[in-house]
Amino acid sequence: PFSSIFRPKRILFIALLVVCAMELSSLGLATTFYVATSGNDSYDGLAPAYASGSNGPFRTLQRAAYAVKPGDTVQIRGGIYQAYSSWTADGTESGPITITNYSGEVVAIDGNKNTLPAKQDDVLLQIYGDWYKVSNLEVRYSGGSGVAVHGAHCTVDNITSHHNWGSGIYMTGWY
């Protein structure tokens, strides 16, 4: 008789655990990705330095751009990155996408003496998405513009953009 009193509570408790587990799996927790000049785009991007196997930083910003989802952060290790990237994922109000330097390291996105990108209308760091936070980067010597942000609710902070053939930084959209 005593155990039969608690049986409905036990069933309710188990059902509640199942519902909570289903909800947690659907949240899709935010991830921090890392990019380093010593990285490899076949790595998972989840470590700031090579650890083992495929556990290490990406090599290119473009690889990180393909990986991000709302709430993610991309931390770029210090160094010179001579490639352009285009970011197209959208963040959200509660989960913006953050692109920044790693732990105070100096990051330069460099257009290789104004040869990258090849077309003057192109951009070294281009964002087509909402809810981005971009900070603590140097963007220089672009063959086009340095930074372009096309989206709503995006912020750019502590970006130095210089010696570009086009605009240093331009933004369009709702802020």
Side-chain angles (χ1 to χ4, degrees), residues 82 110-120 124 140-144 162-166:
Q82 290 186 325
D110 185 275
N112 193 25
K113 300 178 184 174
N114 304 103
T115 60
L116 295 173
K119 295 180 184 175
Q120 196 167 1
L124 274 178
R140 63 189 191 194
Y141 299 105
S142 173
H162 60 90
H163 292 92
N164 303 302
W165 283 356

Side-chain angles (χ1 to χ4, degrees), residues 29-84:
L29 302 174
T31 302
T32 299
F33 292 105
Y34 300 91
V35 178
T37 57
S38 61
N40 188 316
D41 282 349
S42 67
Y43 293 163
D44 60 14
L46 299 177
Y50 178 74
S52 66
S54 64
N55 191 8
F58 296 136
R59 168 67 182 94
T60 64
L61 297 173
Q62 190 60 60
R63 177 63 182 90
Y66 292 142
V68 294
K69 62 184 183 318
D72 287 351
T73 296
V74 175
Q75 293 189 350
I76 308 168
R77 300 295 311 260
I80 298 172
Y81 296 84
Q82 290 186 325
Y84 54 92

